[in-house]
Structures are given as C-alpha cells and as structure tokens.
Amino acid sequence: MPAELLHPLTHRPATAGTVVAAFPRHVRDALDNAGDTGFIAASLTGISGRGTGAARQRQPLKRGARSADIVAVAIAGTHQELAGHLQDLATVSARPSQNELQVNSG
C-alpha cells in the first residue's frame, strides 16, 4: 500500500501500511467488545499478502486487459475473499459480544 494517509495517533502523514497496522490498535477496545479483533487481524493479514483490490485490478490494466476482464478479476477476488471469510463470519456472528455478555450478566 504505497499511498500516504493521516496516522490516527500521530495525526501526521504516514504510509498506508503503517496507518492500517496502527488503526486496529487505535480501536482495539471497540473491536474486542464487538468480538471482531480476530476477524480484522485475519482480514488485514490477507490484504497484506494479496494486496488491495485496487492493486490487483491495476495489474491486468497494465497488461492491456479489457475492462470486462478487469471486472472479472474484481469479481473473482471478491468471491475468493468472501469464501475465505464465511467460516469466520459464522463464528463471529454466533459469538456474543463483550457488551452482550455484560448486559446478560448484569
């Protein structure tokens, strides 16, 4: 991720990779309360390994692919990502959040 973004903690420009890595730490309590910490960590690891959807779409464009081919790449990537996360989503949605646990026990 080569672009620069505003870092959520330093409020200064930083590389997208640095900002994306810092953001879950910045919102850790909310992720923990919602039960989403593991899902977000796995998603960011996947993006880091595969690259962003935009980067994957630019690759065939650089090779001279037609628009229809680029759309097909985007659709295939989306289906692949969804298939990889379906089990995670089912697990997360079946698990009560920290807030739900506090409400039910209080």
Side-chain angles (χ1 to χ4, degrees):
M1 289 184 256
E4 285 199 338
L5 304 171
L6 186 64
H7 194 287
L9 303 175
T10 66
H11 305 285
R12 296 180 181 270
T15 64
T18 299
V19 172
V20 167
F23 192 72
R25 290 190 299 269
H26 181 62
V27 297
R28 178 75 187 227
D29 290 343
L31 292 174
D32 286 345
N33 287 339
D36 289 340
T37 304
F39 176 75
I40 296 301
S43 296
L44 293 177
T45 298
I47 291 169
S48 183
R50 290 185 310 272
T52 65
R56 290 193 313 268
Q57 291 173 43
R58 282 192 291 269
Q59 291 171 351
L61 179 64
K62 288 179 185 177
R63 293 191 303 265
R66 299 173 308 136
S67 295
D69 296 331
I70 296 168
V71 170
V73 166
I75 291 169
T78 299
H79 287 178
Q80 183 179 23
E81 289 171 18
L82 288 175
H85 288 302
L86 283 178
Q87 183 60 42
D88 293 336
L89 290 171
T91 301
V92 167
S93 65
R95 212 175 37 216
S97 70
Q98 291 294 344
N99 289 337
E100 290 171 323
L101 291 174
Q102 291 170 355
V103 169
N104 292 333
S105 66

